[in-house]
Amino acid sequence: MNDSNFPTAAQVIVIGGGIVGTSVAYHLTKLGYTDVILLEQGQLSCGTTWHAAGLVGQLRSHVAMTDLIKYSTKLYSDLEAETGLATGWKNTGSLAVARSVDRMTVLKRTAASARAQGVDVDVISAKEAGDLWPLMETSDLQGAIWLPGDGKANPTDLTQSLAKGARNGGAKVIERVKVTDVIVKDGAVTGVKTDKGQIDAEIVVNCAGQWAREIGKMCGVSVPLHSAEHMYIVTGEIEGVHPDLPVMRDPDGYIYFKEEVGGLVMGGFEPEAKPWGMDGIPDKFEFSLLPDDWDQFEILMENAMIRVPKLAECEVKKFYNGPESFTPDNNFLLGEAPELKNFFVGAGFNSMGIASAGGAGKALAEWIVNGSATTDLWPVDIRRFANFNNNPSWLHDRIKETLGLHYAMPWPNRELDTARPFRRSPLFDRLKSKNACFGSKMGWERANWFANAGQKPEIEYKFGRQNWHDNVAKEHRAVRESVAVFDQTSFAKLLVQGRDAATILNTICAGDVDVEVGKSVYTAMLNTRGGFESDVTVMRIHREKFLLITGSAQAIHDADWIERNIPQDSHVTLTDVTSAWSVLSVMGPKSRDVLKQLSKSDFSNKAFPFATIQEIDVGYATVYANRMTYVGELGWELIVPTEFAAGVYDDVMKAGEEFGIIDAGYYALEGLRLEKGFRAWSRELHPDINPFEAGLGFAVSMDKPGGFIGRDALIEHRKNGAPRKRIVQLVLQDPDAQLWGGELVLRNGVAVGEVRSAAYGHTLNASVALVQMDHAEGVTKDFIESGDYEVDLAGELFKATAHIRTPYDPKSERPKME
Ligand SMILES: Cc1cc2nc3c(=O)[nH]c(=O)nc-3n(C[C@H](O)[C@H](O)[C@H](O)COP(=O)(O)OP(=O)(O)OC[C@H]3O[C@@H](n4cnc5c(N)ncnc54)[C@H](O)[C@@H]3O)c2cc1C
């Protein structure tokens, strides 16, 4: 193309001609967006895509993510028929083998969750695994699982085939054009500058792989990813290796194998990765590799020789060391950037880009065309990160651990160890000195539980009861029987204010929040499908000021959702005030007695009823006290200016001494809320479930004046009879069994759903779970109550009782979930 033919405008520009960019362009054209230009600085697939091993495994821990890859496999098998260009897709199936008993437990849990997610799977013996993969040493194996739907593809061919499909649909794919800047006007993207000229555009999509962070920096968008070296070898031909040989993974050895031209590809995910590109990613890195690093590869090679002894005799034809971008939590980054309107990101694929690209490209294209995600994409939503996650030193240290997570033991409640502590509450040192064991959420260090004197505040991971069980029991009982304090400073806090704040918030929230000053309303923010975008507490602290408290991980997401729905000419502003306030939750039947010692305020039911907020004095501090609870007991959330938090905490602990006050952590909170059946965002509540299905009808005000976003969908839903899905509480009958979440639930022997959250309920003396039950003919009261339930715990079935209303304490501090 000569310069005079160079385009000057397009509806959509996609930056990056790897597998992800071409998939986005392809799917945009399928959705009727034909004025699309894809720009690639080198040649198609020349970045990371060309040297991928091409494994496509369908199963992920989140059902929506599994669905994306299931779609990829279908697309990759059908694409050649459409475009005439082969994709190299081969449905070989895949095996995962277990060396240890714990790993076998993982595989059995995986098999159960595969069944819950509709993925074909079989648990097989070591011998059967050996029959499928005769070159493998099996004498040390406990067993394996077999996933017949998995396979492999050729990444370069796939990219070419997607590009052809995109061109056929009207898109222009232009190679050898480098984007040098992103043009922004009035908070929205308006085009790009390139080394060949400027192109105006309504929408720009950043699919620049490991360069995506730099592209983001051109326009103030955080794309938190960092490159790491990633390696595999290709051997010469080996007798017995044939194109239909399944993909084989041996996670205890950190390795995988697949066939390639009669030999084996062997690569893996070593526990400590080697970050790369600290001084920036070179522009000229076309079809390039990094130097071989046998030292870094040694741990993989040693393990590979144990699994496939024949490797010792064969020739290594090629060592591939290519950089790939990794993110802080091992999930990719998708969606419209909260910082810049009409600027989308699809990057950071954590060595899953080939498997994910089909589904991720479709999901991103739908997001662009519809203006919002069309399904639950929270695990990969770019809004789960904030600008502080883009800190290069932090990213560098974190991704050393991220790469290895692929094959690390997925222990229940496993915490990441690197790049911590990151965000600290003002009480961090105090809680640390009291033996807190910290976990991390949205970067915050949060006390999960408190160790006894002489006990190490460390988790001993296992699938049964862990070492903190009794510590948490004590915290749990204190909340139910006397009083405890939770440091909930990590809550996200948003201040929405202005003359129109009440009116606008009332259209964004499904409940009626246009209430008297001093009222707190627990409600939902819904999308147009009626699904949850968030659940929040809205506190009216002034006629024109509302303080919103939402989950720690939701600050960016919720702020973005609200700002998007504020009409341009209205008088409303939103400020994230998370760092300005700490939250100390004083919970339990003695909480009133404790606070009375410290404050002149009246805490009686009459003067301070449930779901109200008042500004009160606590010691020398002036704080907001919100009478609300997530544990189902009497209690107040003290919302304290950060600089007063330490003083208030000390005062509360001193005043509480005579009532036996103790510190409690997030593990106790989880058990307490699950006993009460309280739902949590991103677990039970997600964009594909509405308040009636979730049992939160009380949080919706269908008839309030002016309506609200999602109301039409809820009206339609009500016309359709019984909900097809519903959140139901299950209590295990065996008091010793431990649930963690993700387990398969059977009703009368047939799969009916998956455990969304679970914990031990120390008041009920059993594991308690919230389950999403799905049933096409409707999940009626009769359907729930007439079933016999079992939970599949790593292959063993445990009987459970289903409850629509919680079996614990009918005198709830919050309206009942029905
Ligand atoms: C050794 C190795 C093995 C792997 N094995 C597998 C596997 O088995 N299965 C799997 O699913 N995944 C695997 N992966 C991961 C997979 O390769 C990546 O996730 C995927 O290729 C990422 O695709 P992408 O389109 O995001 O990035 P890329 O392929 O890097 O594409 C981004 C493109 O953007 C272009 N670009 C950058 N900046 C600009 C600019 N300013 N202007 C214009 N263009 C620009 C680049 O040139 C590049 O071509 C592997 C990766 C490695 C390194």
Side-chain angles (χ1 to χ4, degrees):
M1 179 177 296
N2 66 40
D3 285 359
S4 60
N5 289 337
F6 193 72
T8 54
Q11 186 182 10
V12 185
I13 290 172
V14 179
I15 308 171
I19 190 160
V20 177
T22 50
S23 178
V24 172
Y26 170 84
H27 285 99
L28 281 170
T29 61
K30 290 281 170 220
L31 293 171
Y33 273 36
T34 52
D35 186 10
V36 174
I37 296 179
L38 182 145
L39 300 174
E40 166 54 50
Q41 63 185 359
Q43 283 174 265
L44 287 180
S45 83
C46 74
T48 301
T49 296
W50 72 277
H51 54 64
L55 276 57
V56 180
Q58 298 177 78
L59 193 62
R60 294 290 176 267
S61 57
H62 193 285
V63 62
M65 299 300 106
T66 303
D67 286 347
L68 290 189
I69 304 186
K70 276 205 257 176
Y71 169 80
S72 292
T73 56
K74 167 123 187 38
L75 175 70
Y76 301 168
S77 66
D78 296 348
L79 199 60
E80 181 176 355
E82 179 191 330
T83 65
L85 292 186
T87 62
W89 168 250
K90 205 155 190 29
N91 175 204
T92 57
S94 83
L95 274 171
V97 302
R99 296 186 188 197
S100 64
V101 174
D102 280 334
R103 180 67 68 175
M104 200 58 219
T105 302
V106 172
L107 294 187
K108 286 181 184 161
R109 288 176 64 89
T110 304
S113 87
R115 288 185 193 117
Q117 297 183 24
V119 174
D120 277 351
V121 66
D122 279 317
V123 177
I124 59 175
S125 65
K127 155 126 196 358
E128 288 167 315
D131 292 344
L132 286 162
W133 229 92
L135 292 171
M136 165 167 58
E137 172 59 55
T138 57
S139 59
D140 60 335
L141 294 181
Q142 301 289 329
I145 54 169
W146 166 240
L147 291 137
D150 285 358
K152 58 184 181 178
N154 180 318
T156 303
D157 291 353
L158 202 45
T159 307
Q160 292 292 350
S161 196
L162 286 165
K164 173 101 182 286
R167 284 195 194 97
N168 290 347
K172 292 193 184 77
V173 176
I174 313 178
E175 294 174 302
R176 307 240 163 266
V177 176
K178 179 176 155 55
V179 171
T180 54
D181 206 356
V182 177
I183 311 166
V184 175
K185 197 166 172 242
D186 300 331
V189 73
T190 58
V192 297
K193 287 184 184 163
T194 78
D195 53 2
K196 302 272 172 17
Q198 178 169 321
I199 312 177
D200 298 332
E202 291 167 25
I203 289 159
V204 173
V205 194
N206 177 5
C207 297
Q210 59 178 345
W211 293 263
R213 185 169 176 274
E214 286 306 310
I215 301 269
K217 278 167 73 181
M218 292 173 184
C219 52
V221 170
S222 295
V223 185
L225 53 80
H226 197 295
S227 297
E229 300 190 18
H230 190 31
M231 304 161 200
Y232 64 85
I233 55 167
V234 186
T235 72
E237 281 186 36
I238 303 177
E239 209 189 311
V241 173
H242 52 86
D244 292 321
L245 191 71
V247 167
M248 190 259 284
R249 297 180 176 85
D250 174 6
D252 293 317
Y254 321 113
I255 46 177
Y256 63 77
F257 299 84
K258 73 155 205 180
E259 179 275 345
E260 193 166 295
V261 222
L264 285 176
V265 165
M266 187 282 285
F269 296 91
E270 65 277 18
E272 188 168 338
K274 194 174 162 202
W276 182 77
M278 278 69 82
D279 300 322
I281 312 296
D283 285 348
K284 295 261 173 274
F285 200 73
E286 222 179 310
F287 296 113
S288 298
L289 290 173
L290 304 171
D292 301 357
D293 186 342
W294 284 100
D295 287 343
Q296 181 74 14
F297 201 70
E298 191 180 347
I299 186 169
L300 306 181
M301 198 66 206
E302 275 174 4
N303 274 294
M305 303 230 266
I306 296 172
R307 187 60 46 232
V308 183
K310 244 194 176 167
L311 272 183
E313 299 155 26
C314 62
E315 171 207 9
V316 174
K317 274 184 28 190
K318 179 93 186 147
F319 190 116
Y320 282 87
N321 181 6
E324 158 73 333
S325 47
F326 291 85
T327 63
D329 64 358
N330 207 22
N331 283 327
F332 52 89
L333 307 167
L334 210 71
E336 186 171 1
E339 302 95 333
L340 183 60
K341 202 165 165 10
N342 299 333
F343 186 82
F344 289 78
V345 178
F349 276 84
N350 299 287
S351 202
M352 288 177 284
I354 309 306
S356 311
K362 177 169 179 275
L364 192 56
E366 285 175 357
W367 195 326
I368 292 166
V369 171
N370 289 290
S372 59
T374 54
T375 177
D376 177 16
L377 293 171
W378 177 244
V380 294
D381 192 320
I382 193 166
R383 292 169 295 181
R384 72 192 186 280
F385 291 119
N387 64 345
F388 49 73
N389 295 111
N390 208 24
N391 175 297
S393 306
W394 183 78
L395 282 170
H396 169 272
D397 291 353
R398 169 49 63 86
I399 63 96
K400 280 187 198 172
E401 185 179 10
T402 309
L403 178 141
L405 288 179
H406 280 276
Y407 289 174
M409 277 300 282
W411 294 116
N413 59 337
R414 185 188 172 117
E415 292 285 344
L416 300 189
D417 299 323
T418 50
R420 292 175 56 190
F422 191 36
R423 301 172 84 188
R424 275 172 266 195
S425 130
L427 304 179
F428 176 79
D429 291 330
R430 277 174 166 73
L431 301 187
K432 193 166 187 281
S433 72
K434 293 170 95 172
N435 250 354
C437 177
F438 291 94
S440 166
K441 184 89 181 260
M442 190 67 178
W444 286 100
E445 293 296 330
R446 310 195 311 179
N448 278 337
W449 56 282
F450 289 82
N452 299 325
Q455 183 187 10
K456 272 196 180 160
E458 284 169 17
I459 300 175
E460 288 163 22
Y461 290 116
K462 56 178 174 165
F463 287 99
R465 276 185 191 174
Q466 296 182 351
N467 59 322
W468 42 264
H469 184 86
D470 292 340
N471 304 74
V472 170
K474 183 171 134 200
E475 296 167 24
H476 187 109
R477 284 191 199 111
V479 175
R480 290 275 184 255
E481 291 160 20
S482 53
V483 57
V485 174
F486 297 88
D487 176 12
Q488 296 196 274
T489 297
S490 69
F491 268 141
K493 299 133 213 143
L494 306 173
L495 183 66
V496 178
Q497 55 185 331
R499 280 194 304 279
D500 301 325
T503 317
I504 302 299
L505 266 184
N506 227 15
T507 62
I508 296 173
C509 296
D512 190 357
V513 299
D514 192 1
V515 288
E516 287 162 39
V517 172
K519 289 248 184 237
S520 303
V521 182
Y522 169 76
T523 185
M525 300 199 285
L526 304 178
N527 55 38
T528 50
R529 291 175 280 133
F532 275 83
E533 286 297 322
S534 182
D535 69 325
V536 281
T537 303
V538 179
M539 292 165 285
R540 192 166 200 172
I541 52 174
H542 174 275
R543 206 166 57 84
E544 295 183 359
K545 284 187 193 170
F546 293 80
L547 184 60
L548 275 58
I549 289 204
T550 180
S552 313
Q554 285 153 259
I556 307 297
H557 172 276
D558 288 11
D560 180 65
W561 181 260
I562 294 168
E563 280 179 329
R564 254 165 220 288
N565 287 296
I566 296 178
Q568 228 175 6
D569 52 356
S570 55
H571 187 260
V572 187
T573 60
L574 179 147
T575 315
D576 184 337
V577 292
T578 301
S579 305
W581 300 94
S582 282
V583 178
L584 297 187
S585 300
V586 185
M587 295 288 150
K590 299 275 166 56
S591 54
R592 179 179 281 130
D593 300 317
V594 175
L595 292 176
K596 266 169 33 185
Q597 315 276 314
L598 293 169
S599 174
K600 307 271 179 281
S601 294
D602 182 350
F603 294 95
S604 65
N605 274 335
K606 191 154 180 287
F608 209 144
F610 182 72
T612 59
I613 179 169
Q614 293 182 23
E615 197 174 57
I616 63 164
D617 61 297
V618 175
Y620 293 155
T622 303
V623 311
Y624 283 111
N626 179 38
R627 182 153 169 211
M628 192 62 70
T629 175
Y630 200 39
V631 295
E633 302 297 339
L634 178 71
W636 279 264
E637 292 170 347
L638 302 180
I639 305 165
V640 185
T642 302
E643 68 275 30
F644 285 98
V648 170
Y649 173 79
D650 291 346
D651 288 347
V652 168
M653 293 318 278
K654 195 151 189 304
E657 255 169 37
E658 63 175 289
F659 305 100
I661 199 165
I662 61 168
D663 295 285
Y666 276 85
Y667 287 174
L669 197 70
E670 187 71 354
L672 289 156
R673 74 118 179 147
L674 285 169
E675 269 185 347
K676 292 296 300 180
F678 291 165
R679 282 63 165 145
W681 160 258
S682 87
R683 312 281 280 283
E684 293 72 53
L685 308 180
H686 52 84
D688 293 333
I689 193 163
N690 72 38
F692 301 130
E693 294 163 335
L696 295 179
F698 74 86
V700 177
S701 176
M702 290 298 281
D703 301 324
K704 68 178 173 178
F708 56 89
I709 300 167
R711 181 173 180 268
D712 293 347
L714 295 188
I715 291 172
E716 274 310 299
H717 167 88
R718 279 185 151 178
K719 284 187 197 154
N720 296 335
R724 314 278 185 277
K725 53 173 144 330
R726 208 153 153 185
I727 302 295
V728 177
Q729 194 183 35
L730 282 190
V731 181
L732 279 197
Q733 290 175 9
D734 179 340
D736 296 325
Q738 177 75 44
L739 293 181
W740 294 107
E743 293 87 0
L744 171 70
V745 177
L746 304 164
R747 179 186 175 278
N748 299 343
V750 179
V752 73
E754 195 184 12
V755 173
R756 307 284 305 194
S757 307
Y760 200 81
H762 291 277
T763 315
L764 295 173
N765 279 322
S767 274
V768 210
L770 287 175
V771 176
Q772 180 175 315
M773 287 191 190
D774 294 86
H775 182 57
E777 280 80 51
V779 186
T780 57
K781 189 166 177 283
D782 185 49
F783 177 85
I784 297 167
E785 289 176 349
S786 63
D788 286 328
Y789 294 93
E790 287 164 314
V791 181
D792 182 330
L793 243 181
E796 215 182 317
L797 296 181
F798 286 84
K799 286 195 184 315
T801 323
H803 300 271
I804 298 175
R805 284 185 186 199
T806 170
Y808 167 70
D809 178 25
K811 308 188 289 329
S812 175
E813 264 292 65
R814 219 161 92 171
K816 288 196 184 57
M817 311 283 172
E818 18 185 357

